[in-house]
Amino acid sequence: MKAIHQLATVEQILAHYQQDQPLHRFLAIYYRQNKQMGSKDRKIASRLVYNYFRLGHALHQETLLNRLIIAEFLCNTISNSFIAFYKPEWETAVNLTLEEKLIIVKQEFPAFDVLDIFPFHKHLSEGVDSTLFCSKILVQPDLYIRVRKGSEKRFTSTLLNAEINFQHLGGQTYALANGTKLDHLFPDKGLYEVQDLSSQQVGHYFKPQKWDKWWDCCAASGGKSLLVHQQQPDIKLLVSDIRASILDNLDERFLHAGIGSYQKKVLDLTLDQSLFLHDYEFDGIILDAPCSGSGTWGRTPEMISQFQEHTIQFFQDLQRKIIRNVISYLKPGKPLIYITCSVFKEENEAQVAWMQEEFKLQIESQELIKGYQHKADTMFVARLVK
């Protein structure tokens, strides 16, 4: 009866989800409107729905029930009531490796192909292993933490005392199970930042010097700004974004991190900003460009079925508008750090080649950070010098 009720709940959720907002936001609203659901029911429903979307476009003609069974089998390693009720012959195989379970699914559903999960292969950046990338969409990414420098021992000790499983990956970086709650353990909000492993790694490309002037031009809530400031606290920093509300979040993060000296501006960088930036020039510009976000769809798998292929061109055009409007503020001999969380070559290598041709920028280094190999986001970063 539990499994039947769970199926009915998922059917209802999917019927109401209009895909016009992130799934996590919709579910929060849905659960507030359906307060009869207990915490365990909400947790199971969320898991089932997210796993359903992890199948992407694979077996899209199969029934909802069959897709849920397959998704639950592939995405989980612990037996549960849903599999036990609807597919008891698979229950004892739930703890097998993903590769072994893929073979089992293929035997019963010959039309299943892991490459169908993410059917945009011709757009993938060079070096992406399509089969591995698609299969890792079935695995929920980890929660990654960057701890304030010098606080690693305290952070580690607190996690050990609370019996929370974690991996210390060296330096300030920790990996925990997705969904791990830390707020109650660390009242000091400046002690750590939630920041994906790949996002932390792009910081290796910054290399700021003392008294440099840097501009994080699409700063959002300030993750990259915090990284560059940590590397060189004496830089003069300008942060900007098109959204005033998200810069308010940046202010809060900077306050907790103890950063008080910086400038911020609300700027639409698809337009000429010479009126507001006519006397500015920078020793480094970080452009964490608006993009498809395709490298993060392991966290937001609903995006796979919502995405339209023509949108890649939209983001490429948007990025080029922004690049044109920021490059003139970069001093000669200084770096532009171009970043996306995309796996599409049109947003990555093709943009770097275009910048070389259009603005005579020189590539110092570029990299596709293959987060799908580490239960993390996949990102692209390039350091180009004017």
Side-chain angles (χ1 to χ4, degrees), residues 70-171:
I70 293 166
E72 277 289 278
F73 178 63
L74 292 175
C75 297
N76 293 303
T77 57
I78 299 174
S79 180
N80 59 68
S81 58
F82 196 86
I83 293 293
F85 182 80
Y86 284 111
K87 200 71 173 174
E89 63 270 31
W90 281 3
E91 186 181 9
T92 56
V94 167
N95 61 350
L96 295 178
T97 67
L98 178 59
E99 291 73 19
E100 291 170 325
K101 290 194 286 186
L102 287 169
I103 294 171
I104 292 172
V105 171
K106 182 75 172 178
Q107 288 172 343
E108 185 151 346
F109 296 88
F112 177 76
D113 187 340
V114 72
L115 290 173
D116 290 340
I117 291 175
F118 184 95
F120 312 109
H121 309 125
K122 68 180 182 180
H123 299 285
L124 288 175
S125 280
E126 184 178 350
V128 176
D129 182 327
S130 299
T131 300
L132 183 60
F133 175 75
C134 290
S135 66
K136 292 303 182 182
I137 291 172
L138 298 167
V139 180
Q140 188 178 51
D142 279 337
L143 171 69
Y144 286 96
I145 299 294
R146 181 171 57 83
V147 176
R148 186 170 60 205
K149 199 167 186 177
S151 301
E152 297 88 349
K153 287 185 178 180
R154 173 186 166 193
F155 191 80
T156 298
S157 176
T158 302
L159 293 180
L160 288 171
N161 290 336
E163 299 183 341
I164 291 176
N165 292 326
F166 69 94
Q167 286 182 284
H168 185 192
L169 304 180

Side-chain angles (χ1 to χ4, degrees), residues 1-10 44 47-48 64-73 76 78-88 91 94:
M1 289 301 295
K2 286 183 179 179
I4 294 172
H5 178 70
Q6 290 162 2
L7 175 61
T9 300
V10 171
I44 293 172
R47 188 193 73 225
L48 285 164
L64 170 63
L65 176 58
N66 279 343
R67 296 192 83 219
L68 280 172
I69 292 169
I70 293 166
E72 277 289 278
F73 178 63
N76 293 303
I78 299 174
S79 180
N80 59 68
S81 58
F82 196 86
I83 293 293
F85 182 80
Y86 284 111
K87 200 71 173 174
E91 186 181 9
V94 167

Side-chain angles (χ1 to χ4, degrees), residues 128-363:
V128 176
D129 182 327
S130 299
T131 300
L132 183 60
F133 175 75
C134 290
S135 66
K136 292 303 182 182
I137 291 172
L138 298 167
V139 180
Q140 188 178 51
D142 279 337
L143 171 69
Y144 286 96
I145 299 294
R146 181 171 57 83
V147 176
R148 186 170 60 205
K149 199 167 186 177
S151 301
E152 297 88 349
K153 287 185 178 180
R154 173 186 166 193
F155 191 80
T156 298
S157 176
T158 302
L159 293 180
L160 288 171
N161 290 336
E163 299 183 341
I164 291 176
N165 292 326
F166 69 94
Q167 286 182 284
H168 185 192
L169 304 180
Q172 300 164 253
T173 306
Y174 291 73
L176 301 94
N178 202 288
T180 303
K181 304 297 184 185
L182 299 177
D183 291 353
H184 65 292
L185 295 176
F186 302 102
D188 179 359
K189 293 184 179 180
L191 183 67
Y192 69 91
E193 296 287 339
V194 174
Q195 188 169 40
D196 184 76
L197 177 65
S198 299
S199 188
Q200 294 185 44
Q201 290 175 346
V202 302
H204 300 318
Y205 287 76
F206 295 165
K207 305 174 186 176
Q209 302 299 311
K210 199 168 186 177
W211 311 124
D212 273 356
K213 295 179 181 178
W214 277 70
W215 180 20
D216 188 355
C217 62
C218 295
S221 57
K224 308 301 186 302
S225 292
L226 289 170
L227 273 177
V228 72
H229 189 276
Q230 176 186 283
Q231 291 176 17
Q232 183 48 260
D234 294 316
I235 62 170
K236 296 181 179 180
L237 181 62
L238 171 66
V239 294
S240 66
D241 200 272
I242 194 173
R243 301 155 294 181
S245 60
I246 205 162
L247 287 177
D248 291 338
N249 294 334
L250 179 148
D251 286 336
E252 185 175 354
R253 291 182 76 182
F254 276 28
L255 176 65
H256 293 312
I259 302 173
S261 179
Y262 61 96
Q263 282 187 293
K264 71 172 183 176
K265 293 180 181 289
V266 177
L267 299 174
D268 181 355
L269 295 178
T270 64
L271 305 174
D272 176 24
Q273 296 297 324
S274 56
L275 180 64
F276 304 101
L277 297 174
H278 59 87
D279 57 347
Y280 282 80
E281 57 178 1
F282 298 95
D283 299 292
I285 296 177
I286 300 170
L287 172 51
D288 191 354
C291 70
S292 62
S294 47
T296 70
W297 290 349
R299 299 187 188 279
T300 56
E302 71 274 16
M303 289 300 303
I304 302 171
S305 54
Q306 296 176 25
F307 187 74
Q308 299 294 318
E309 201 166 0
H310 64 80
T311 310
I312 298 173
Q313 183 66 53
F314 165 81
F315 281 111
Q316 187 182 63
D317 293 343
L318 175 63
Q319 290 156 2
R320 291 185 180 183
K321 285 181 183 178
I322 294 172
I323 292 165
R324 286 187 185 279
N325 286 324
V326 304
I327 201 69
S328 61
Y329 301 103
L330 184 64
K331 295 178 183 178
K334 300 300 183 178
L336 169 71
I337 314 299
Y338 177 76
I339 304 167
T340 75
C341 51
S342 172
V343 294
F344 295 140
K345 58 189 175 185
E346 291 89 342
E347 300 180 90
N348 297 340
E349 298 92 343
Q351 295 295 50
V352 171
W354 174 78
M355 283 186 271
Q356 279 186 290
E357 178 68 25
E358 189 76 9
F359 304 107
K360 310 305 178 189
L361 300 182
Q362 300 298 313
I363 302 175

